[in-house]
Amino acid sequence: MAIDLRAPGDSFVGFWREYHMSTLTTPRPDGTPHVVAVGVTYDPGGGEKGIARVITNKHSRKVANVLAAGPGGARVAVCQVDKGRWATLEGVATIRTEPEAVADAVERYAARYGRTPTPNPDRVVIEIALTRAMGRA
């Protein structure tokens, strides 16, 4: 079921506020999908159609995949499932390294998951400018 990113609805947004682990799918340089478990935050008011964020280590494979796509970013998807409820956010990912962007993403993660991650000087943010959403939440 398609979701209007300009008006995603309370149940869809609420589902992204609950504690659920998600998957992030990035394209490897050879075009095959790389899928890993991550924590994701969703900001429906960010950017033109919303922003999703994943905090991670700058040396991770997922960061390398996004960077390999070039300066325009990589087409990615994040997805979460809970029994019969599910939601997918798709968009273009870029890597943010600015301390303010990282601190903001860590704060959002802490609010969603109820814990502040251990400090990590190699932490970066995979920021996804959303283009499409679907789900049944």
Side-chain angles (χ1 to χ4, degrees):
M1 162 185 244
I3 304 295
D4 180 354
L5 283 169
R6 287 181 169 67
D10 292 342
S11 64
F12 188 80
V13 172
F15 187 46
W16 284 99
R17 301 271 187 264
E18 297 171 12
Y19 187 112
H20 297 289
M21 294 308 295
S22 301
T23 59
L24 168 67
T25 303
T26 59
R28 291 185 181 102
D30 69 2
T32 59
H34 176 258
V35 184
V36 293
V38 294
V40 177
T41 60
Y42 170 42
D43 174 10
E48 186 178 323
K49 294 184 177 180
I51 295 172
R53 294 174 180 88
V54 175
I55 56 175
T56 189
N57 190 295
K58 69 181 179 182
H59 303 292
S60 70
R61 176 79 255 163
K62 53 192 166 284
V63 168
N65 290 342
V66 171
L67 292 173
R75 303 265 329 148
V76 303
V78 290
C79 182
Q80 66 182 22
V81 177
D82 179 46
K83 299 178 184 157
R85 298 183 307 155
W86 62 276
T88 299
L89 299 169
E90 298 178 14
V92 178
T94 55
I95 305 302
R96 301 284 306 272
T97 60
E98 307 89 345
E100 319 76 56
V102 174
D104 178 60
V106 167
E107 189 175 302
R108 291 171 186 274
Y109 178 97
R112 181 173 189 197
Y113 292 103
R115 70 172 193 84
T116 300
T118 304
N120 178 354
D122 290 333
R123 181 170 287 129
V124 298
V125 181
I126 298 174
E127 187 173 276
I128 306 163
L130 301 178
T131 58
R132 181 181 303 164
M134 58 191 134
R136 187 173 312 252

